[in-house]
Amino acid sequence: MCGLNLGLIVIMIGLVVETEIGESMRFELDSGKTKCIAEDIKANAMTVGKYSIVNPSEGQPFPDSHKLVVRVSSPKGNNYHLGDLVDSGTFAFTAAESGDYTTCFWANKHKPPVKMTIEFDWKSGAAAKDWSKVAKAGQVETMEIELKKLHDTVSAIHEEMFYLRERYETTIAVIIAVNS
């Protein structure tokens, strides 16, 4: 029984680490177009993002056509970040409410049309913490850092379980109400 529980915990940690650790993505955006990316974030979770246009002519200044408008907004439409005609930027905030937070990238229309490649990295929860800075600031041993990471991951699993239970109970209540 203990082995089954331990195995379940290891699987859950793997799932949370897989979903909590954001991966960098790269996508193309044509001039005059918009691309939006959504991330389901729980209330009070820290989130950080970094974006940049890949310079088409390495070593040269960015062309004037390679500028974006970037907006990060909450599920209720509150703005958390606005970059106006930028080629790169960062954002960080603690989510006020649970739900889908959206980052939208707009590229101005150009003639001739331009295609931009954008690199985007978005992390939330335990993955949003920069443990290397914590280690340098506090002269903390490597094992202590790993234990703190593990503690944050387990805490994230715990919070996610409560969040999923709440969503399940809400769904059941709606189904019961519909069938009544």
Side-chain angles (χ1 to χ4, degrees), residues 15-35:
L15 290 174
V16 167
V17 168
E18 183 178 309
T19 59
E20 290 282 337
I21 296 176
E23 291 185 24
S24 291
M25 64 177 75
R26 187 180 268 215
F27 59 92
E28 290 186 343
L29 183 62
D30 292 324
S31 59
K33 303 289 181 173
T34 302
K35 170 92 174 173

Side-chain angles (χ1 to χ4, degrees), residues 84-122:
D84 191 20
L85 298 177
V86 295
D87 54 42
S88 65
T90 61
F91 59 86
F93 60 89
T94 301
E97 70 246 14
S98 294
D100 285 339
Y101 285 73
T102 307
T103 301
C104 289
F105 300 86
W106 289 276
N108 287 337
K109 197 169 207 158
H110 292 280
K111 288 189 179 181
V114 175
K115 185 178 294 252
M116 290 180 267
T117 302
I118 301 165
E119 287 186 349
F120 183 46
D121 186 25
W122 196 355

Side-chain angles (χ1 to χ4, degrees), residues 51 68-72 81-84 86 91 103-106:
Y51 57 89
L68 296 169
V69 175
V70 181
R71 179 177 169 226
V72 181
H81 174 76
L82 181 62
D84 191 20
V86 295
F91 59 86
T103 301
C104 289
F105 300 86
W106 289 276

Side-chain angles (χ1 to χ4, degrees), residues 8-91:
L8 183 59
I9 289 172
V10 169
I11 290 170
M12 290 176 69
I13 288 173
L15 290 174
V16 167
V17 168
E18 183 178 309
T19 59
E20 290 282 337
I21 296 176
E23 291 185 24
S24 291
M25 64 177 75
R26 187 180 268 215
F27 59 92
E28 290 186 343
L29 183 62
D30 292 324
S31 59
K33 303 289 181 173
T34 302
K35 170 92 174 173
C36 294
I37 298 165
E39 179 79 18
D40 185 23
I41 301 174
K42 293 180 292 211
N44 301 317
M46 176 70 177
T47 185
V48 294
K50 180 179 180 181
Y51 57 89
S52 63
I53 300 172
V54 176
N55 193 340
S57 304
E58 195 172 319
Q60 301 293 324
F62 270 100
D64 291 337
S65 60
H66 280 60
K67 299 290 182 191
L68 296 169
V69 175
V70 181
R71 179 177 169 226
V72 181
S73 57
S74 73
K76 293 184 179 177
N78 299 319
N79 284 335
Y80 278 87
H81 174 76
L82 181 62
D84 191 20
L85 298 177
V86 295
D87 54 42
S88 65
T90 61
F91 59 86

